[in-house]
Amino acid sequence: MAITRTPAHLGSVLMMGLVSQIAQVVMLRELLMLFHGNELSIGIILAAWMAWVGMGSAIGAWLAGRHERVLGVMAINAGLLLPVLIVSVLATRGLRGWFDVVPGAYLSLTDIMLSSVLVLAPVCLLVGMQFVLLAKLWRQHDQSETTSGAGKTYIGEAVGNIAGGVVFSLVLVHWLNAFQIVVMVGALVILAVLWAARSSTEFGDQVGRFGKRALLALLLVTGVGFVWLGPLDEFGHRLQWSQLAPGHELIEVRQSKHGNISVARIDDQLSFYRSGHLMFAAAGPETLHRHMEEQDAAVFAHFGLTQHPDPRRVLLIGGGLRGTLGEILQHPVERVDYVELDEVLTRAARDHLSPATLAALDSPRVNLIHGDGRLFVKSARQSWDVILVDVPDPATAVLNRYYTREFFAEARERLEPDGLLAIGAVSTPGLRGQGVANRNATLMHSLEREFDHVLPVGDRMLVYLAGKAGRALSTDPLELQQRFQQRDVHSDAFRAAQFHLLLEPGQLQRINWVLRHHGRSPAAHLEPPPSAPLRPPPVDEQRRIQADWPAVNEARFINSDFRPIAYFYSLLLWGDLTRSEQAEQLAGLMRVEPHWIAWPVVGVLLLMVVLRLFSRQALAAPERRLAVGLAVFSTGMATMAMQIALLFAFQSQYGFVYEMIGLIVALFMAGLATGTAIAQRWITDRANLTILARVQGLITLFALSIALLLPLSSQMPGGASIFVFFACLTFVSGLLNGVDFPLATEAFRAINQRAERSAGLVYGIELAGACMGAALASALVAPIMGIVACCVLAAMANGTAWAALMIARRSHAT
């Protein structure tokens, strides 16, 4: 007779999901700080996480096979997890010192992979062990020989994941530091084990009196030491900044839903960082002379505004805190709508910046808006004479959103008929270097897709000016100088004579010639930019004759929301500038061709055919093992590739995902739990390969559907509709994955007749597939081949698994 009472270890199952989710997000945020906020590392971090969890599940399966009374092992696991979480966070903050890298340089892909693997191993091994141990406890509770306990554990873990994601996003990220968060969840795991031991005599004997006392003592020490976690967090930040920016004094660190805001000082210069990525630098309040950053801000503001004969309404996205806002107010504008993403960053800046910057923020002509600039433009109903986008280079996926043709199209719709857009990017004299040439030519060609007139101006810093039809852009320094003087502009950081320097005909014509020519051959992304002739034609003539030149290589030199290639080139640029190993690695990735994926697909299917022809008609035939394993692996790989695609696409449309990542994961896990429950409840013949093949086919069709639907998201009007759209896709993705797990687990059990081994094997193989999917999607496919290509990769993986299952299935009942 089935046992229906609530199992004593249910709390441990829920806590496993909760601590796994919260620990994953905490470690992800900590590692992103180490990696300068570079989202290309997200897949590598998740891959390392899943690889070690899979290894932990294998260890758990080994232990479960040798110990019938496993709650004692769970107690040891819980006791180790809490201190391991604390040490892992602290180790992450001191990890940069282990690498030979100059201050400010990005870690290479090899360094990112090594860092992730080393720092995540202890936590993930302990988390991975818990799944199989808890699955055995549930099977013992149900007195069953099937893998239903694994399915129930899978559902319980998913429920815990949902709770962890919601609690982190809505509460923890706003009120607690990283150490306080991991200590809290570690303590909850210990309490859950103690509750299981207290609620059941049988399970309680497994823990033992000494074990209970040891866990209670650990909880007592943790509670007493909780007050010291604030100073420990401060020590960790100072340790990290002593390696990230030697010579800088860390002034303060503030928690934000968008990432840690750090303020550092060197001499009289203040630098403001978000998640380790430099947002801007400015002089302190006592400084009398403008710094280079503020001089760049002045050039950017005055070039943009003097290109318009009478700018009245101006939109500024970012940059106001580094001085751009004050320079704009030198002109007789009526209103400036200034959009700054993070209110925490603004509050931090108010405590440190000059009186002039503070006066600009408080000017009655300024309308300060805290929110995402991209969403603001998309949902706005007013129009502007000039839009100035003063954000850092597209060195992260979230910054790349302001450099795509979709954003340029949205900005164009918000400009008056004679309006113009200005946006800046770092360059090098003569555009020397593969990364800088590729990136800046990509911005040029992307702007020209949406604007009739585009003019890049500058040397080490390029200002791109873009105007609609009828808005001719002036290259005459006398005209711009006259407007500047007529408006009676007085700037300490910019003089009228600088128009002549920046618009010197020879330099201006060379820059335009190189940027307009580069990117017009199939292999241009692998070649240096073309040399300009000794006397390039004037810019107006270049505009006229470029219609006769070869077409731009769209795949490599048009930056879009769904192919963020400028983001990849920006990383290559910074690798070139710092002479790091990353430049060589990224250059190698550019040589990867999409058709290479065909070789493993063909190889797997040929192997299936050979095994099918030469194996006997047996339940444990090798082609059945391979087909089921491939189905599990491909489901993990496809689900993670789709998740990376959805995450990147959601970020490009909605903005920062740091505040939402917990909710996004919660939606996925809700789908996962629902799918697993459906399979457990409604599918009786769960070992049937035909049913498993149909699920693989559904995942294939769903991945192809996402590939078709994602580009439509750029046309959605506002944040609410975008969130609902991505929430539905994320939920369905989790649901299909959830249906697949109990089917594959039972199919393996039918082959090897061992429940725990089957659960651990399926869990580990699925994580291995997810590991590969995460790494490929975020580090290679999404930035180079495009976000839609991630969905195509997912469809190919599951399509291959479907074909393998169709080859392996038997005509007789399984």
Side-chain angles (χ1 to χ4, degrees):
M1 181 177 178
I3 305 297
T4 58
R5 61 185 174 83
T6 302
H9 66 279
L10 178 60
S12 291
V13 173
L14 296 174
M15 285 305 107
M16 175 187 66
L18 184 140
V19 71
S20 174
Q21 183 55 51
I22 292 179
Q24 184 184 81
V25 176
V26 168
M27 295 306 298
L28 181 66
R29 287 168 63 99
E30 291 292 326
L31 285 168
L32 279 174
M33 178 79 177
L34 175 66
F35 304 147
H36 294 271
N38 175 13
E39 296 96 338
L40 186 142
S41 65
I42 289 178
I44 297 174
I45 297 169
L46 294 177
W49 179 278
M50 288 177 285
W52 281 120
V53 170
M55 185 75 70
S57 72
I59 296 173
W62 181 82
L63 290 171
R66 284 158 177 76
H67 299 277
E68 283 300 312
R69 298 158 67 84
V70 297
L71 193 63
V73 182
M74 284 291 302
I76 297 172
N77 184 294
L80 290 173
L81 185 60
L82 194 152
V84 162
L85 283 168
I86 297 174
V87 172
S88 296
V89 173
L90 189 60
T92 303
R93 296 189 182 177
L95 201 57
R96 187 180 173 92
W98 289 88
F99 298 100
D100 183 18
V101 57
V102 299
Y106 284 56
L107 294 182
S108 69
L109 293 179
T110 302
D111 295 340
I112 290 173
M113 188 177 301
L114 185 59
S115 301
S116 302
V117 167
L118 288 176
V119 80
L120 294 178
V123 173
C124 295
L125 286 172
L126 293 173
V127 170
M129 288 171 57
Q130 289 185 23
F131 178 81
V132 183
L133 297 173
L134 289 167
K136 181 166 184 175
L137 284 177
W138 211 312
R139 184 176 64 81
Q140 291 174 339
H141 172 268
D142 289 349
Q143 299 178 8
S144 169
E145 295 301 320
T146 69
T147 57
S148 60
K152 293 176 181 178
T153 304
Y154 203 61
I155 296 173
E157 179 192 24
V159 173
N161 284 144
I162 295 168
V166 172
V167 170
F168 182 87
S169 294
L170 300 182
V171 181
L172 300 182
V173 72
H174 300 284
W175 298 104
L176 300 178
N177 64 48
F179 290 99
Q180 291 168 336
I181 291 172
V182 297
V183 164
M184 184 193 71
V185 298
L188 288 175
V189 172
I190 293 175
L191 288 172
V193 172
L194 289 173
W195 179 260
R198 178 178 180 274
S199 301
S200 168
T201 304
E202 178 186 350
F203 291 157
D205 291 343
Q206 296 182 40
V207 176
R209 183 176 299 176
F210 176 77
K212 292 179 184 177
R213 289 178 177 176
L215 292 179
L216 287 170
L218 182 59
L219 283 177
L220 179 63
V221 171
T222 301
V224 173
F226 197 83
V227 294
W228 295 100
L229 295 178
L232 180 62
D233 184 60
E234 183 179 346
F235 168 77
H237 283 304
R238 295 194 180 280
L239 173 65
Q240 187 171 47
W241 280 95
S242 68
Q243 302 165 356
L244 183 65
H248 287 70
E249 176 192 1
L250 183 64
I251 304 298
E252 66 169 320
V253 177
R254 300 193 186 192
Q255 286 281 95
S256 166
K257 61 185 179 182
H258 301 299
N260 286 338
I261 302 298
S262 306
V263 185
R265 181 199 298 271
I266 184 169
D267 297 328
D268 60 346
Q269 176 177 295
L270 293 167
S271 298
F272 294 78
Y273 296 81
R274 180 187 292 119
S275 295
H277 186 77
L278 178 65
M279 301 308 297
F280 68 93
E286 296 89 16
T287 304
L288 300 177
H289 302 289
R290 298 295 188 98
H291 284 252
M292 183 177 294
E293 176 100 5
E294 293 168 297
Q295 293 171 359
D296 288 341
V299 170
F300 179 69
H302 297 306
F303 249 99
L305 291 179
T306 53
Q307 280 287 344
H308 196 287
D310 188 25
R312 294 297 176 183
R313 291 179 55 84
V314 176
L315 171 62
L316 173 63
I317 299 177
L321 301 175
R322 75 164 182 152
T324 306
L325 182 62
E327 300 297 329
I328 293 172
L329 294 176
Q330 296 285 333
H331 295 255
V333 297
E334 295 175 355
R335 178 185 174 93
V336 180
D337 292 310
Y338 169 37
V339 183
E340 183 62 61
L341 174 70
D342 200 340
E343 188 174 4
V344 175
L345 177 62
T346 304
R347 289 202 301 268
R350 282 185 178 276
D351 291 342
H352 300 288
L353 294 183
S354 66
T357 300
L358 298 179
L361 286 173
D362 296 329
S363 169
R365 291 186 289 163
V366 173
N367 175 34
L368 175 59
I369 303 153
H370 285 110
D372 182 74
R374 177 79 184 264
L375 273 181
F376 179 78
V377 170
K378 181 188 284 285
S379 58
R381 293 294 174 263
Q382 66 266 43
S383 58
W384 294 273
D385 299 309
V386 178
I387 297 178
L388 300 174
V389 182
D390 191 11
V391 298
D393 273 20
T396 66
V398 73
L399 292 171
N400 186 74
R401 304 162 58 240
Y402 294 101
Y403 294 85
T404 64
R405 64 174 300 180
E406 289 86 355
F407 173 68
F408 296 152
E410 292 164 0
R412 186 181 189 279
E413 292 300 312
R414 299 292 171 257
L415 285 171
E416 293 288 348
D418 61 345
L420 64 94
L421 169 75
I423 191 166
V426 168
S427 187
T428 58
L431 293 167
R432 290 191 295 271
Q434 187 73 54
V436 71
N438 285 359
R439 199 277 306 279
N440 289 347
T442 296
L443 300 185
M444 179 75 182
H445 297 314
S446 301
L447 278 165
E448 287 196 315
R449 284 293 184 274
E450 304 299 333
F451 287 90
D452 299 279
H453 304 283
V454 179
L455 177 67
V457 177
D459 189 13
R460 63 173 185 80
M461 180 75 186
L462 286 181
V463 177
Y464 290 86
L465 304 164
K468 301 171 72 171
R471 156 51 53 203
L473 298 172
S474 176
T475 59
D476 182 359
L478 290 176
E479 180 183 4
L480 301 182
Q481 183 177 6
Q482 184 179 16
R483 288 177 184 168
F484 185 81
Q485 293 170 338
Q486 286 176 344
R487 295 173 189 175
D488 196 27
V489 176
H490 298 283
S491 172
D492 296 335
F494 189 86
R495 295 289 185 269
Q498 289 179 252
F499 287 112
H500 293 270
L501 293 175
L502 293 170
L503 291 173
E504 190 275 319
Q507 174 181 297
L508 182 67
Q509 291 161 10
R510 282 192 298 272
I511 289 171
N512 276 264
W513 179 270
V514 172
L515 292 180
R516 293 176 191 279
H517 270 81
H518 190 45
R520 295 180 181 270
S521 69
H525 60 292
L526 302 175
E527 301 169 348
S531 299
L534 187 60
R535 290 188 176 181
V539 173
D540 290 339
E541 184 178 344
Q542 290 183 33
R543 289 198 193 106
R544 289 194 299 269
I545 65 176
Q546 73 177 25
D548 300 325
W549 299 345
V552 173
N553 183 341
E554 296 268 347
R556 301 292 186 176
F557 286 91
I558 298 297
N559 190 42
S560 74
D561 287 342
F562 303 101
R563 191 190 291 269
I565 192 68
Y567 158 46
F568 185 84
Y569 290 152
S570 293
L571 296 177
L572 181 60
L573 161 62
W574 288 110
D576 286 336
L577 293 178
T578 57
R579 301 184 181 276
S580 71
E581 180 186 350
Q582 176 164 283
E584 296 179 7
Q585 295 172 340
L586 296 178
L589 291 180
M590 288 197 299
R591 298 182 180 276
V592 175
E593 296 293 338
H595 64 263
W596 291 2
I597 188 64
W599 293 107
V601 171
V602 172
V604 166
L605 294 181
L606 283 176
L607 178 60
M608 283 297 306
V609 171
V610 170
L611 291 175
R612 177 68 179 86
L613 291 174
F614 291 99
S615 66
R616 296 178 179 179
Q617 297 286 329
L619 186 64
E623 76 270 15
R624 292 174 65 86
R625 292 176 180 272
L626 177 60
V628 176
L630 183 62
V632 176
F633 184 88
S634 65
T635 299
M637 180 178 176
T639 303
M640 186 52 63
M642 286 189 288
Q643 282 301 104
I644 293 293
L646 290 171
L647 190 68
F648 273 51
F650 177 73
Q651 180 172 257
S652 69
Q653 301 300 315
Y654 191 86
F656 270 79
V657 297
Y658 290 108
E659 62 173 312
M660 304 296 292
I661 194 167
L663 291 176
I664 293 170
V665 173
L667 286 166
F668 175 79
M669 299 310 298
L672 192 79
T674 303
T676 304
I678 289 172
Q680 294 273 83
R681 175 69 176 83
W682 299 105
I683 302 177
T684 55
D685 188 10
R686 291 194 291 273
N688 191 310
L689 295 193
T690 301
I691 298 175
L692 185 59
R694 288 172 182 169
V695 174
Q696 301 304 308
L698 282 175
I699 297 175
T700 302
L701 293 175
F702 179 68
L704 292 174
S705 300
I706 293 180
L708 295 174
L709 291 172
L710 276 184
L712 300 178
S713 64
S714 63
Q715 302 173 17
M716 293 184 175
S721 60
I722 292 171
F723 181 80
V724 171
F725 174 77
F726 281 98
C728 292
L729 293 181
T730 300
F731 179 84
V732 175
S733 175
L735 186 144
L736 292 173
N737 191 3
V739 171
D740 189 85
F741 180 81
L743 300 182
T745 304
E746 194 61 20
F748 262 121
R749 192 195 68 81
I751 294 172
N752 60 36
Q753 302 298 314
R754 297 174 67 178
E756 273 73 46
R757 182 177 178 182
S758 297
L761 189 62
V762 170
Y763 196 59
I765 292 175
E766 183 181 78
L767 287 170
C771 170
M772 179 173 286
L776 286 175
S778 72
L780 175 63
V781 180
I784 298 178
M785 301 174 193
I787 293 172
V788 171
C790 293
C791 302
V792 176
L793 173 67
M796 291 188 68
N798 275 97
T800 304
W802 171 84
L805 287 166
M806 297 303 289
I807 294 171
R809 68 176 183 162
R810 303 299 185 184
S811 59
H812 60 272
T814 55

